[in-house]
Structures are given as structure tokens and as C-alpha cells.
């Protein structure tokens, strides 16, 4: 509408727009910066040598940057072995969870057996420590203490619920027409599952696998209590690097990065799928 | 589905599914039996790894057993002891305080973040990926870095405070500030999860209500308050349930950064449980703590789910 | 060394009183006053090809042993696998492992002040007497008589069993910053009152200097308080098994703890363990630091310390009733479940041998338990520890007494009272906190003695 002073109006409107745009970008910066800054600080700590680490005010850009901390972490602490242990434990626990959980998710979805989902929810709600005591006693009895086997079994507590949960939610969203058509054509439940539902569920399986692997990898308590020297997982080993070195922040930060980098890389690479998996599973809850 | 309606939507069925001609019921029954077979392996695993420890814990809670000595049956004594144990009761208080902050704040911040990321802007994908990284990072590793950041003399947080002219804070070394400081770490860690859940809800929002409201001259705030908020309420509840369960159980962060200190200022139920079970080896008492702990979690979850029932919009 | 022996013997007698038993059984140790001579049959390579596992605590002592493991391997042909983890975790793991009946280690480093009673009661360690007496297994320089009385007190049980070989003693001393003291013209305190006074005078918040620094973190902080408690003439447990931790002496000690750490301590001291306190002191930001003498090494290391050459090593000042240095000690024992007791015994002998003891002294990693180490170290060209450190150590050893009660649930004791102490730093009333902690812990103590 043309009004007297329209040009003044439009300048004001444009100013408001610019203000809103800047406000928006400012909010974006405020929201995202804590996330990135902590990681950058972690990186900075790991690349600084000891003198810089003890300096106050803190030095942000290492001068000169050094890889000595990473070398120290790997040579003094057998991080390679612990890394491998984490891979084995989380990998096996995830594979078993998939073998057991994908069919279970399918069965639950088709049977609408939500009571089983409640059981899974209860499992999620229980503090991890409460599994440790009984499981530990049993492992002692079986002579499995300090073995990777014991750790894998314990980690199933983490991986199976996640896989079942995600897959149940996922299978429920799959349209049933295809299956019902195949049924009428004379297929058994197994063929339905194997040839119709499973291929369609691949995205869900990817999500479930990655989420289960990540949460198993990140677990600290089980490794800290149950593992022995040769079978410790990465998070538990990292915790041992702390305490009792005066302000050895460099190696500590380097160890922390080594522990969490694989998981972060996984996250970035399949970020979209994780988002879908978490929200699909979450909403269906 | 209008929000708040009590129309019992059939569980699990996609509302967009086309109704297929129903086969006779005997056929159905056979199908059900077959499906049961799919669940059995999972049931075995869950039974061994989850149900068995549970039963063991409940049984153990009736004994007084310290590792290294003989177990005596004491019935309900452990529970009675807990009810009068000041340190345990205080830990419940700390847990509630911590959980309240660690749920409400991420909910608010996560919703704001979701609103921001809902808009289209350049580099949105990259920035969102960065924003979700804290959620996936290994809690122990991150907690160690935060410990260094909290250091009163050498830590970078006090340095930042000094830059804006504020006096250095004790952070996790002060009994009053320790829980808010730990909550700060939790917020950093888990706000992305809330954001993702709410984002999913925002993505499913219909456009028409907004268009008609805008024509009627509604402001942004009114749009949010009267249209967006009710529609994403179910998602907020889901996020609240997940956050509550995780916050009540929070362990790694607190253990690494403050070990429940200073003194017992940040000792939550989970920390107390660890102390009883793995520092003092009071397995009987620890089992009783687990049962009580679980009862609390269950009560909280049921409460929230009840709230959720009343705002259900999406078919379960 | 007679003063040392006498006071240590007194300490032993007091311990026995607390344990409710009668005569000391030191004399029951075979060969205690003889030198075991090698007779045909002893061979370092006797167990060549075997492999043993050692479980150490991450500490200056653990570092020292690990550094020289290769020497042991070359000497005996026994392969050594070892692990060092932080103190609290090591103690927890030890209990779990022993309880499983098949621990993953053969040799374990134990802290006498925490684990001795627990290990003895549960019979987790092997009695070494048969092996000490067996000439074919005893190294030529075993020289059992070379062990100081204080170390033997720890290693020998009240019923005569020798459950471990002592490794080091750790009396507590007051490290002080000579530069800060000189700047204000304050002399090193000789009494508790002077100590508080000095802390007050030297505390300078404008410069960021704390008058005093010590452990404030619960569990770790109890030795600081017990150092004061002993000086006030107090104790932990009386002959009847009742706690004496809420007596006037204990409360005075609590008040002193509150003053020194709460009033003249650095910001955040409530969360400090020995390493945070050490870091602060290293940077010249504290006038006094009360802790074990074995943490001295980095203080004179130019790569780590800003106060090289300015460190004073002071003996614990005298309390109104006594002058006592709180004593702690470590040793090595063989797991009773070990199937490799022979090779493990060789390791024990090597770890506590004269060479290693001398090295420990030279590196200022702890106070050796062998009397001969002092002379040997001082005459060596490698001797790096300052003269004042050695003097301080010898003087402290003379007035040393156990800094923790000899009971089974020591960890719980440290936790319960540690919480009370941390609360005191933050302003709680010492009398109230100590009474509460005593009431909380008494049933635990009673139960542990009955079981």
C-alpha cells in the first residue's frame, strides 16, 4: 500500500530485517560455539607442551605445537591395545545385538507386543552399576573375570535394548501392504522377514548398529570394574591416565581425543541417519 | 488427530496405511505363533543379562553381605537403615536438584536451538553436525577436559570470567556451586539430543495454521505460544522422559569431575551406590539402594508418561 | 638409630594394644638379627623362564620399580608383567581380585596404613617365613637385619607372621618456601601455634600466595588431620575398640585443620589431592605444604618446578603434647593364591634390595626401610637429594607414628572422616562434624571386628 512516508517505512522495515538477521546469526553463534569451543580447547591442550600447559593466562595457540603428547600416550600407556579391546568388545556386543535384536524388533512390531518394549524400557532405566554386582559374581564363579568375553556379555546390556528399540520403532513404520501381499502369495513369516522386511529396514539397521556401537564404545563403568590389565577398554584406560601426574594436561587431553575421535568421526559421517534414528525411535516411544 | 483427544488409536498402525482385506482369523493365529519365534533369542539374552541381575539384586538386598565375609539374612533391615541414613537421604535431595536443572534447562535451550535449526540458512547441515557432536563424545573423555577447565587457578573458565571482569569462581570445588557446574556440563552434553527430538517434531508441523494465523496478524511469539508449542508438546514430553531417566542415572560425569564432592555435596544416589558397592563392598546394602533407586526412577517415568498420555498426538 | 628404634617400638606396642594382643612377636622372625649367608644352592636364575605379574600403585615408588624391571629380568631370566594404577582404584581392585580366588597378579604392592589389617585378616598374602628361612631361596644380600624397626613393625603381624617385605616409609613433613618465609622475616615454626601464626603472616591473597596448602579432598585428607591429632596427644581407637575421634584433642586438631586450610588455604583446596597441592607449591604459590616426604622429587626438577633451590624441608612442628610425624608405609607381598611363589619371592627380594633402596633415596621417592641405604646413598656421586631432605627424613623417622588406625575398614574410615574434614573447610563446626562422623563410623568398626 502506498502511503505518505513509504520510503521511511521501508528503511525502517529493512533495518528491522537486518537487526533480525544479525540477531539470528548471533543466536546461532551462541548456540553452536560452546559445542565447538570445548573440542577446540581439547585439541589445543593436546598439542601444547608442558610449559605452555602450566602457563596462566592460558595459551590458546600452541607455540610451537607438538605431537609429543600423543606419542607419550601410545608408548607409555599401551593405548593401541586398549583401542583394540574397545573395538572387539563394542563390535562383538553390537553384532550379537543385531543378530538377536533385529528379528526381535520385527516380532515386536508385528505382534504389537508392547509389554516386551516395556521390559526394554526398564532395562534402560536401571542404573548400569546394578548390573555389575550380580554379573561380576557370576563371572567370578565361571572364572571369566578379566576376560573380554565377560565384557562383551556385559555390554549386551547396552546394545540389545538400543537395537530392539530402534528396530521395533522402525518396523512399525514399514507399510504392511507388501508383507500382506507376500503372505497371500504363500510366504512364511521367515521369508517375509528375510526377503521383504529386512531389505527395506536397512536404514534402520544402520542407525541401530551405529547407535549401539557408539554407546557401547563410550561406556566407562563396565570396563573400569570388570577388566584387567590386558582387557581394559579405552574409556577406563583414559581414566587411569588422570590422577597422579601433576597437571599432565597435555597427555591427558591427547588420550581424551584418541578415545572420542572414532565416535565423533562416525557421528559426523552418518549424522543424518543418526538424527532420523533417534527421532523415529524417540517419537515412537 | 486433534491434540488431547482420547481417541484410542490402534497401536503401531501407521495412520496412512491402506486397509488390506483381512485374512481369516486362524491364519492370523498361526502368524502370531511364528512371530513369537523371532523374539525368543532376544528374550533369552535379556533374561540372562538383565532379568537375572535384577532378581539377584532384589534377593541380595535382604542380606547383609560385605565381600570377603559371610552373608547374613536380615530381611528388611537394609531398607530401614536406608530410610534413616542421613547421607542416603541427602543424596536423594542432590539427585532431584541435579535432575531438575539437568532436564528443564536442556529442554528450554534445546527447543530454542531446534527453532533456530528449523530455519533454512547457509551451512545449516555443517553447523548442525557440529552441534550434535557433544552428544556422541565419550563422557569420560569430555569430563576429563571439563575437569581441567574447572581448575580454580589454571582453568580456562576462570580465565574467561576474568576477561569480563568477574571474580574467579570455585566451580566444582564449592559445595553450593558444584551441582550447577555439573549441570553445565550436562547441558553442554545433552542439549543436542533434545534439539534433535524437537526438530523432528517441528519438521512434521503443518503449514496451514501458520498461514491463517499470520493473515490474522499474529506475532511470532503468539505463533509459537499458541500453535507451535501445543503441537510439539508430545515431543517435549518424550525428550523430558529421556532426559529425566538419563539425568537421574548420571554417573560418568559426576564421578570423574567431583567424585561426589566436595564432601558429599554432589553425591547423587548413583554415586552413593558406587561407593557402597565398589569402595566399601557392602553388596547387601548396595542392592537395597538399587531397588529404592529404581523405584524412584520408575515413579518419575510413570509420572511423565501420564503427562504424555494427556498430550498424545502422534500414534504410539 | 636407637631413638628411631625406641619410638618405633613404642608405636608397635601401642598398635598391639589397640589390637588387643599382648607381647610383641618380633623375636619370632627367624634370622632377624643374623645375616643370611648364601650357601650352595642359591641362584638368581633358578626360576628362569617363568613369568610373574606385579600389581603396583601409580606413585613415585611404582615409577621407580617399573623403571628398573628390565634389570630384574636380566638378573633372573624371569619375565615381569606389571601394571600401575591410581591408589584408590588399586585398592578396590585388590579386594575384588582377591575375593575372586584367582587374582591376576602374583605380587602386589600394598599400603600398610590402609590394607595391612584387611589383607592379614583375610589371609590374602603368603607367610614369608618359610622362604626367608630357606637358604636356597634367600639372596645373599637379603640381610633381614638391615631393615629398620619401623619397616619391620609394618611387615610383621602381631602373631609373628611375616606377610610382606617392607619397601618404604613415608613420614610426613612440612615443605616450605624459603623465599616467601625470608621475604617476611618469618622463621620456620617449631610448634603448632607458631605454624598457624606463620600461615597467617605469609598468607597474601593480593599476590595469590596461600599461607598453607594441604589435601582437602575427602578420603585423601585424613592424614593431614591425623598429623595434628597425634600432636595434640590424641589417638584413633582406644584399647576397648571405641573411637576416640570426637575427643577434645580430635576437635582441636579439626579446628587447626579448618584454620589452616579454610582460612589460609588456596581457593578450591576442598578438592585438592596431593598432586594439586604439589602443583601449587611447585609454582611458588604456597608458603607451606604438609604431605609425605616421598613427593619431593619434582620440587628440585627445573623442568617442573619454579622453586628449585628455594625449598625447605621442615620436620613436623610440635603439638602441645607431642611432636609426631605421621607415618605411612608400603611393602610388597605375594598373593596366597599365586602359583609362582618362588619367582615372586625373588622379585620381592630384588625390589627391597639395597640397590633399589639407595635409588629411592637418591631420587627422593621415599624413605628407605634399609638402614644401610642412607650411608650408601650419601657417599655416592649420583646423590641428588638435598642434604636438608635427608636430615629431615632421619629426624622425622625418629618421631614417626602410624598416621591411620590399624583396622580393617580403613577406606571407610578415611571416607567418613574425610567428608567431615572437607565440610569443615567450608565452614562447618569441627565438633559437630567429628561427633557425627564418629557416630556414623563406630558401628562399621564394631561390625568389622566381629566378623
Amino acid at each position: 500500500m502506498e502511503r505518505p512516508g513509504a520510503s521511511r517505512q521501508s528503511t525502517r522495515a529493512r533495518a528491522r530485517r537486518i537487526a533480525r538477521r544479525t540477531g539470528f546469526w548471533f543466536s546461532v553463534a551462541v548456540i553452536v560455539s560452546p559445542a565447538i569451543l570445548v573440542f577446540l580447547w581439547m585439541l589445543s591442550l593436546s598439542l601444547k607442551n608442558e610449559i605452555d600447559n602450566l602457563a596462566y593466562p592460558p595459551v590458546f595457540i600452541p607455540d610451537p605445537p607438538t605431537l609429543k603428547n600423543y606419542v607419550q600416550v601410545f608408548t607409555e600407556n599401551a593405548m593401541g591395545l586398549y583401542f583394540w579391546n574397545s573395538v572387539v568388545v563394542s563390535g562383538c556386543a553390537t553384532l550379537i545385538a543385531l543378530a538377536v535384536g533385529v528379528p526381535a524388533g520385527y516380532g515386536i512390531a508385528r505382534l504389537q507386543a508392547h509389554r516386551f518394549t516395556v521390559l526394554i524400557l526398564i532395562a534402560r532405566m536401571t542404573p548400569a552399576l546394578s548390573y555389575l554386582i550380580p554379573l561380576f559374581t557370576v563371572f567370578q564363579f565361571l572364572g571369566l573375570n578379566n576376560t573380554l568375553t565377560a565384557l562383551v556379555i556385559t555390554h549386551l546390556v547396552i546394545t540389545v535394548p538400543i537395537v530392539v528399540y530402534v528396530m521395533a520403532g522402525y518396523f512399525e513404520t514399514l507399510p504392511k501392504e507388501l508383507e500382506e501381499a507376500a503372505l497371500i502369495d504363500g510366504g512364511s513369516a521367515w521369508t517375509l522377514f528375510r526377503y521383504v522386511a529386512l531389505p527395506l529396514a536397512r536404514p534402520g539397521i544402520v542407525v541401530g548398529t551405529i547407535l549401539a556401537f557408539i554407546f557401547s564404545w563410550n561406556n566407562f563403568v563396565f570396563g573400569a570394574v570388570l577388566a584387567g590389565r590386558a582387557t581394559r577398554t579405552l574409556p577406563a584406560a583414559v581414566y587411569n591416565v588422570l590422577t597422579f601426574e601433576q597437571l599432565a594436561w597435555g597427555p591427558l587431553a591427547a588420550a581424551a581425543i584418541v578415545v572420542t575421535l572414532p565416535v565423533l568421526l562416525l557421528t559426523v559421517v552418518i549424522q543424518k541417519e543418526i538424527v532420523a534414528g533417534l527421532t523415529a525411535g524417540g517419537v515412537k516411544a | 488427530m486433534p491434540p488431547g483427544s482420547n481417541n484410542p488409536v490402534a497401536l503401531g498402525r501407521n495412520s496412512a496405511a491402506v486397509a488390506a482385506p483381512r485374512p481369516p482369523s486362524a491364519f492370523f493365529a498361526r502368524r502370531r505363533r511364528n512371530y513369537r519365534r523371532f523374539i525368543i533369542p532376544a528374550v533369552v539374552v535379556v533374561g540372562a543379562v538383565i532379568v537375572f541381575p535384577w532378581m539377584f539384586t532384589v534377593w541380595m538386598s535382604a542380606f547383609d553381605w560385605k565381600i570377603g565375609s559371610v552373608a547374613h539374612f536380615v530381611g528388611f533391615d537394609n531398607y530401614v537403615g536406608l530410610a534413616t541414613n542421613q547421607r542416603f537421604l541427602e543424596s536423594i535431595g542432590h539427585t532431584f536438584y541435579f535432575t531438575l536443572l539437568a532436564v528443564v534447562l536442556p529442554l528450554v535451550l534445546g527447543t530454542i536451538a531446534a527453532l533456530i535449526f528449523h530455519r533454512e540458512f547457509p551451512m545449516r547441515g555443517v553447523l548442525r553436525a557440529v552441534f550434535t557432536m557433544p552428544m556422541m563424545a565419550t563422557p569420560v573423555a569430555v569430563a576429563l577436559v571439563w575437569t581441567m577447565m574447572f581448575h580454580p587457578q589454571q582453568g580456562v573458565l576462570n580465565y574467561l570470567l576474568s576477561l569480563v571482569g568477574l571474580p574467579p569462581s570455585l566451580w566444582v570445588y564449592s559445595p553450593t556451586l558444584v551441582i550447577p557446574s555439573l549441570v553445565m556440563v550436562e547441558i553442554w552434553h545433552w542439549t543436542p539430543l533434545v534439539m534433535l527430538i524437537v526438530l523432528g517434531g517441528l519438521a512434521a508441523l503443518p503449514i496451514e495454521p501458520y498461514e491463517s494465523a499470520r493473515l490474522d496478524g499474529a506475532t511470532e511469539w503468539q505463533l509459537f505460544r499458541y500453535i507451535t508449542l501445543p503441537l510439539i508438546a508430545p515431543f517435549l514430553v518424550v525428550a523430558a522422559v529421556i532426559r529425566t531417566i538419563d539425568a537421574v542415572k548420571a554417573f560418568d560425569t559426576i564421578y570423574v569431575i567431583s567424585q561426589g564432592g566436595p564432601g558429599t555435596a554432589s553425591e547423587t544416589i548413583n554415586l552413593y551406590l558406587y561407593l557402597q558397592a565398589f569402595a566399601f563392598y557392602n553388596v547387601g546394602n548396595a542392592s537395597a539402594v538399587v531397588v529404592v533407586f529404581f523405584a524412584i526412577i520408575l515413579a518419575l517415568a510413570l509420572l511423565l508418561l501420564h503427562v504424555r498420555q494427556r498430550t498424545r498426538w502422534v500414534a504410539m | 638409630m636407637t631413638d628411631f628404634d625406641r619410638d618405633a617400638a613404642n608405636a608397635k606396642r601401642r598398635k598391639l594394644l589397640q589390637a588387643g594382643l599382648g607381647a610383641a612377636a618380633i623375636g619370632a622372625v627367624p634370622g632377624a638379627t643374623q645375616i643370611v649367608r648364601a650357601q650352595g644352592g642359591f641362584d638368581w636364575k633358578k626360576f628362569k623362564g617363568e613369568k610373574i605379574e606385579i600389581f603396583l600403585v601409580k606413585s613415585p615408588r611404582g615409577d621407580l620399580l617399573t623403571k628398573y624391571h628390565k634389570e630384574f629380568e636380566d638378573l633372573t631370566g624371569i619375565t615381569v608383567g606389571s601394571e600401575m594404577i591410581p591408589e584408590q582404584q588399586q585398592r578396590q581392585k585388590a579386594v575384588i581380585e582377591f575375593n575372586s580366588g584367582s587374582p591376576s597378579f602374583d605380587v602386589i604392592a600394598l599400603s600398610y596404613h590402609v590394607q595391612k589389617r584387611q589383607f592379614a585378616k583375610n589371609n590374602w598374602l603368603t607367610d614369608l617365613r618359610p622362604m626367608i628361612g630357606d637358604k636356597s631361596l634367600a639372596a645373599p644380600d637379603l640381610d633381614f637385619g638391615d631393615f629398620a624397626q619401623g619397616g619391620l613393625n609394618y611387615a610383621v603381624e602381631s602373631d609373628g607372621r611375616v606377610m610382606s617385605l617392607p619397601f618404604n616409609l613415608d613420614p610426613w613433613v612440612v615443605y616450605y618456601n624459603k623465599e616467601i618465609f625470608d621475604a617476611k622475616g618469618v622463621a620456620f615454626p617449631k610448634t603448632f601455634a607458631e605454624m598457624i601464626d606463620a600461615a597467617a603472616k605469609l598468607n597474601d591473597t593480593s599476590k595469590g600466595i596461600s599461607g598453607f596448602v594441604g589435601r582437602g579432598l575427602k578420603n585423601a585428607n585424613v592424614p593431614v588431620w591425623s598429623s595434628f591429632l597425634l600432636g595434640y596427644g590424641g589417638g584413633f581407637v582406644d584399647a576397648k575398640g571405641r573411637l576416640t575421634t570426637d575427643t577434645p584433642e580430635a576437635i582441636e586438631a579439626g579446628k587447626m585443620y579448618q584454620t589452616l586450610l579454610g582460612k589460609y588455604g588456596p581457593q578450591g583446596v576442598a578438592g585438592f589431592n596431593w598432586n594439586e597441592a604439589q602443583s601449587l607449591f611447585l609454582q611458588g604459590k604456597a608458603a607451606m605444604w604438609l604431605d609425605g616426604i616421598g613427593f619431593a622429587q619434582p620440587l628440585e626438577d627445573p623442568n617442573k618446578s619454579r622453586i628449585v633451590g628455594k625449598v625447605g624441608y621442615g620436620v613436623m612442628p610440635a603439638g602441645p603434647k607431642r611432636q609426631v610425624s605421621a607415618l605411612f608405609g608400603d611393602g610388597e607381598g605375594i598373593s596366597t593364591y599365586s602359583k609362582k611363589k618362588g619367582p615372586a619371592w625373588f622379585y620381592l627380594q630384588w625390589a627391597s634390595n639395597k640397590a633399589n633402596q639407595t635409588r629411592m633415596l637418591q631420587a627422593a621417592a621415599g624413605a628407605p626401610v634399609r638402614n644401610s641405604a642412607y650411608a650408601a646413598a650419601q657417599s655416592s656421586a649420583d646423590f641428588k637429594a638435598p642434604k636438608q631432605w635427608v636430615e629431615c627424613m632421619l629426624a622425622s623417622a625418629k618421631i614417626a607414628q602410624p598416621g591411620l588406625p590399624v583396622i580393617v575398614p580403613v577406606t571407610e574410615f578415611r571416607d567418613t572422616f574425610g567428608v567431615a574434614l572437607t565440610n569443615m573447610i567450608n565452614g562447618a563446626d569441627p565438633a559437630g562434624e567429628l561427633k557425627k562422623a564418629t557416630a556414623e563410623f563406630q558401628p562399621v568398626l564394631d561390625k568389622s571386628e566381629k566378623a
Side-chain angles (χ1 to χ4, degrees):
Chain A
M1 278 189 288
E2 282 296 338
R3 272 182 289 175
S7 55
R8 213 171 2 147
Q9 284 275 13
S10 63
T11 342
R12 249 215 319 267
R14 203 173 40 200
R16 240 202 316 253
R17 233 193 350 244
I18 294 184
R20 214 177 311 164
R21 189 82 73 78
T22 354
F24 177 74
W25 279 106
F26 180 70
S27 329
V28 171
V30 166
I31 288 280
V32 177
S33 53
I36 188 79
L37 283 181
V38 171
F39 287 116
L40 283 180
W41 179 243
M42 209 161 137
L43 193 63
S44 159
L45 280 178
S46 69
L47 293 174
K48 288 195 271 191
N49 52 32
E50 210 157 344
I51 309 179
D52 276 347
N53 265 326
L54 288 176
Y56 189 83
V59 170
F60 289 98
I61 315 269
D63 171 36
T66 167
L67 286 178
K68 199 166 47 130
N69 294 321
Y70 288 95
V71 170
Q72 187 179 339
V73 157
F74 275 101
T75 51
E76 275 187 25
N77 287 295
M79 279 288 164
L81 171 66
Y82 301 138
F83 190 91
W84 176 244
N85 286 339
S86 273
V87 169
V88 168
V89 168
S90 298
C92 291
T94 307
L95 286 176
I96 298 179
L98 283 175
V100 156
V102 175
Y106 181 70
I108 293 177
R110 292 294 165 253
L111 278 179
Q112 293 156 33
H114 290 271
R115 261 173 247 137
F116 195 62
T117 322
V118 169
L119 187 63
I120 299 285
L121 211 65
I122 290 183
R124 184 146 197 261
M125 294 201 299
T126 318
L129 287 174
S130 53
Y131 295 116
L132 271 184
I133 310 168
L135 285 179
F136 172 77
T137 321
V138 168
F139 290 146
Q140 211 176 287
F141 182 68
L142 293 175
L144 281 178
N145 258 337
N146 294 335
T147 59
L148 285 178
T149 317
L151 275 179
V152 170
I153 296 177
T154 320
H155 275 236
L156 289 177
V157 161
I158 305 171
T159 53
V160 170
I162 293 182
V163 172
V164 170
Y165 201 68
V166 168
M167 292 318 298
Y170 200 83
F171 278 122
E172 275 172 13
T173 63
L174 284 190
K176 298 190 118 181
E177 309 89 74
L178 284 170
E179 289 179 47
E180 293 183 352
L183 251 182
I184 294 180
D185 281 349
S188 74
W190 173 252
T191 48
L192 270 187
F193 174 66
R194 171 85 179 75
Y195 296 109
V196 178
L198 203 52
L200 285 178
R202 193 162 313 160
I205 295 182
V206 170
V207 174
T209 312
I210 289 165
L211 284 178
F213 187 83
I214 289 181
F215 282 105
S216 164
W217 178 277
N218 282 348
N219 178 279
F220 160 68
V221 204
F222 293 158
V225 174
L226 288 175
R229 178 165 67 93
T231 53
R232 196 163 286 140
T233 54
L234 218 42
V238 155
Y239 182 67
N240 282 344
V241 174
L242 173 70
T243 67
F244 294 23
E245 285 306 321
Q246 71 265 14
L247 286 189
W249 284 1
L252 189 54
I257 290 205
V258 167
V259 171
T260 197
L261 196 61
V263 155
L264 288 180
L265 287 178
L266 271 180
T267 310
V268 167
V269 160
I270 8 133
Q271 195 240 357
K272 281 214 191 73
E273 285 78 358
I274 293 186
V275 170
L278 282 176
T279 52
V283 167
K284 287 296 173 186
Chain B
M1 289 275 125
S5 96
N6 279 338
N7 191 352
V9 179
L11 298 173
R13 223 156 281 203
N14 192 325
S15 54
V18 172
R22 292 194 49 156
S25 50
F27 195 52
F28 249 142
R30 185 155 38 100
R31 225 171 66 172
R32 289 188 95 78
R33 269 201 303 277
N34 283 339
Y35 282 136
R36 226 159 264 170
R37 247 182 269 156
F38 283 82
I39 309 188
I40 291 187
V43 170
V44 169
V45 170
V46 169
V49 165
I50 295 177
V51 173
F52 158 71
W54 249 115
M55 296 184 337
F56 185 96
T57 302
V58 174
W59 184 61
M60 257 296 114
S61 68
F63 285 75
D64 173 28
W65 181 35
K66 248 184 130 114
I67 291 195
S69 44
V70 185
H72 311 286
F73 180 77
V74 290
F76 281 115
D77 277 3
N78 282 330
Y79 292 99
V80 172
L82 284 178
T84 51
N85 184 328
Q86 175 138 15
R87 190 161 170 178
F88 179 67
L89 294 174
E90 279 175 12
S91 75
I92 300 185
H94 297 143
T95 310
F96 277 134
Y97 180 39
F98 178 83
T99 305
L100 185 68
L101 292 180
V103 171
V104 169
L105 291 174
L107 271 181
V108 170
L109 291 172
T111 310
I112 297 177
L115 288 171
I116 292 180
F117 275 102
H118 187 53
R119 301 215 200 170
E120 293 276 352
F121 58 87
M123 289 210 304
R124 179 172 75 158
V126 170
L127 287 176
R128 195 179 57 191
V130 167
F131 187 68
T132 45
M133 271 173 27
M135 188 171 83
M136 293 301 181
T138 313
V140 175
V142 163
L144 288 174
V145 175
W146 276 95
T147 309
M148 297 191 266
M149 286 170 44
F150 278 134
H151 196 274
Q153 281 88 24
Q154 303 287 122
V156 70
L157 286 181
N158 270 343
Y159 174 68
L160 291 176
L161 281 185
S162 71
L163 282 183
V164 291
L166 290 171
S169 164
L170 283 180
W171 301 108
V172 293
Y173 296 103
S174 143
T176 40
L177 290 179
V178 60
I179 290 189
S181 303
L182 290 172
V183 170
M184 196 165 81
V185 180
E186 281 279 299
I187 294 176
W188 178 87
H189 204 92
W190 292 111
T191 303
L193 180 61
V194 175
M195 183 206 81
L196 289 179
I197 295 178
V198 176
L199 200 57
L202 287 176
L205 289 181
I207 314 202
E208 307 83 57
Y210 290 96
E211 287 178 343
S212 46
R214 275 212 183 87
L215 281 177
D216 286 348
T219 66
E220 287 289 341
W221 169 249
Q222 284 171 325
L223 284 176
F224 175 72
R225 168 85 178 78
Y226 296 108
I227 303 184
T228 316
L229 204 48
L231 288 180
I232 59 170
F235 294 87
L236 288 179
V237 176
V238 168
V241 172
I242 294 182
R243 271 311 298 146
T244 306
I245 294 178
D246 284 345
V248 170
K249 286 194 309 161
F251 181 77
D252 292 7
T253 309
I254 306 180
Y255 180 73
V256 169
I257 298 184
S258 75
Q259 294 100 45
T264 49
S266 61
E267 195 173 76
T268 56
I269 303 180
N270 218 357
L271 264 285
Y272 180 77
L273 171 62
Y274 180 84
L275 208 63
Q276 287 297 314
F278 295 106
F280 304 154
Y281 298 108
N282 250 333
V283 177
N285 200 25
S287 302
V289 173
V290 169
V291 174
V292 173
F293 192 20
F294 182 76
I296 294 178
I297 299 180
L298 192 59
L300 280 175
L302 286 177
L303 178 69
L304 286 167
L305 282 176
H306 179 70
V307 172
R308 198 230 150 164
Q309 282 284 92
R310 311 182 74 224
T311 61
R312 196 167 54 169
W313 175 61
V314 179
M316 188 170 155
Chain C
M1 282 282 143
T2 45
D3 281 346
F4 184 161
D5 290 335
R6 188 167 18 100
D7 277 315
N10 283 339
K12 169 84 178 166
R13 229 169 284 136
R14 221 157 309 177
K15 255 194 320 191
L16 289 176
L17 193 67
Q18 288 167 1
L21 290 178
I26 291 289
V29 176
T33 49
Q34 310 159 15
I35 296 179
V36 176
R37 285 201 196 288
Q39 309 212 337
F42 179 77
D43 178 16
W44 273 118
K45 292 243 191 305
K46 188 178 174 120
F47 295 105
K48 182 171 166 162
E50 298 259 24
K51 186 173 193 315
I52 53 173
E53 286 288 328
I54 323 284
F55 194 30
L56 297 169
V57 173
K58 209 160 167 45
S59 73
R61 272 81 59 185
D63 285 336
L64 183 74
L65 280 180
T66 312
K67 197 164 138 191
Y68 290 104
H69 272 169
K70 184 128 188 351
E71 178 190 85
F72 176 76
E73 288 182 338
D74 291 338
L75 173 67
T76 60
I78 303 173
T79 331
V80 167
S82 78
E83 158 164 69
M84 265 203 294
I85 62 176
E87 188 176 76
Q88 300 289 2
Q89 277 98 293
Q90 195 255 17
R91 292 171 188 166
Q92 287 168 17
K93 270 234 122 187
V95 174
I96 296 185
E97 298 250 3
F98 276 128
N99 236 75
S100 73
S102 54
S104 59
F105 49 81
D106 300 290
V107 173
I108 180 169
L110 64 148
S111 297
Y112 287 121
H113 43 284
V114 179
Q115 296 162 303
K116 172 180 158 152
R117 185 85 202 259
Q118 182 187 48
F119 281 20
K121 203 157 192 287
N122 290 306
N123 291 318
W124 284 338
L125 295 177
T126 318
D127 188 351
L128 299 174
R129 282 180 297 182
M131 287 193 273
I132 297 176
D134 183 347
K135 306 248 170 52
S136 69
L137 288 180
D141 61 350
L142 172 58
D143 197 356
F144 211 83
D146 189 24
F147 285 121
Q149 192 61 32
L152 288 178
N153 288 341
Y154 270 132
V156 181
E157 291 298 316
S158 40
D159 58 9
R161 288 180 294 167
V162 180
M163 304 305 274
S164 59
L165 276 193
F167 186 64
N168 77 292
L169 294 175
D170 201 29
W172 273 42
V173 300
V174 179
Y175 300 97
Y176 63 101
N177 188 320
K178 288 197 239 192
E179 197 179 42
I180 299 180
F181 270 77
D182 291 341
K184 293 249 171 101
V186 179
F188 183 73
K190 297 261 179 333
T191 65
F192 279 6
E194 282 178 26
M195 192 166 168
I196 300 182
D197 207 40
K201 286 209 185 96
L202 299 173
N203 194 43
D204 191 344
T205 34
S206 64
K207 292 213 197 89
I209 308 249
S210 306
F212 183 86
V213 71
R215 306 174 185 188
L217 185 67
K218 70 171 174 186
N219 196 302
N221 57 5
V222 174
V224 183
W225 169 68
S226 49
S227 299
F228 304 144
L229 172 64
L230 293 170
Y232 274 105
F236 303 105
V237 184
D238 66 18
K240 297 205 200 77
R242 309 285 323 154
L243 288 169
T244 52
T245 46
D246 52 358
T247 55
E249 291 87 15
I251 297 179
E252 284 302 311
K255 288 203 190 125
M256 185 165 172
Y257 183 84
Q258 184 178 52
T259 312
L260 282 177
L261 271 91
K263 214 156 152 211
Y264 305 122
Q267 287 275 66
V269 74
F272 276 25
N273 201 336
W274 66 259
N275 50 329
E276 280 97 355
Q278 185 188 52
S279 305
L280 198 79
F281 187 74
L282 275 181
Q283 286 162 49
K285 295 223 175 86
M288 291 186 277
W289 175 37
L290 172 63
D291 215 303
I293 199 167
F295 293 122
Q297 190 184 16
L299 299 180
E300 304 284 354
D301 181 347
N303 286 332
K304 300 198 173 131
S305 163
R306 297 228 176 106
I307 51 170
V308 181
K310 302 183 192 153
V311 182
Y313 303 92
V315 179
M316 183 71 192
K321 292 273 175 56
R322 296 191 287 223
Q323 186 180 23
V324 177
S325 164
L327 180 67
F328 306 88
D330 302 314
E332 315 243 318
I334 306 180
S335 153
T336 196
Y337 303 100
S338 166
K339 301 207 174 37
K340 310 214 181 109
K341 298 206 170 113
W345 171 234
F346 274 21
Y347 182 85
L348 249 59
Q349 296 183 79
W350 170 81
S352 293
N353 73 7
K354 300 190 180 174
N356 275 329
Q357 292 280 299
T358 313
R359 283 178 193 142
M360 174 158 51
L361 185 56
Q362 284 172 336
V369 284
R370 280 186 178 276
N371 299 327
S372 59
Y374 299 91
Q378 276 169 313
S379 57
S380 148
D382 283 327
F383 195 62
K384 285 200 205 82
K387 192 151 166 290
Q388 201 193 8
W389 183 83
V390 182
E391 286 168 2
C392 179
M393 182 184 53
L394 294 176
S396 303
K398 291 203 184 112
I399 53 168
Q401 274 183 41
L404 284 172
V406 184
I407 54 180
V408 173
V410 179
T411 307
E412 224 164 325
F413 178 84
R414 283 167 60 130
D415 191 81
T416 313
F417 286 94
V419 168
L421 291 171
T422 312
N423 289 343
M424 282 183 228
I425 297 182
N426 289 313
D429 170 43
E433 286 292 327
L434 283 175
K435 287 200 182 350
K436 196 165 79 163
T438 307
E440 200 181 312
F441 189 71
Q442 186 68 60
V444 176
L445 180 62
D446 294 335
K447 232 195 299 188
S448 78
E449 288 301 324
K450 252 192 291 193

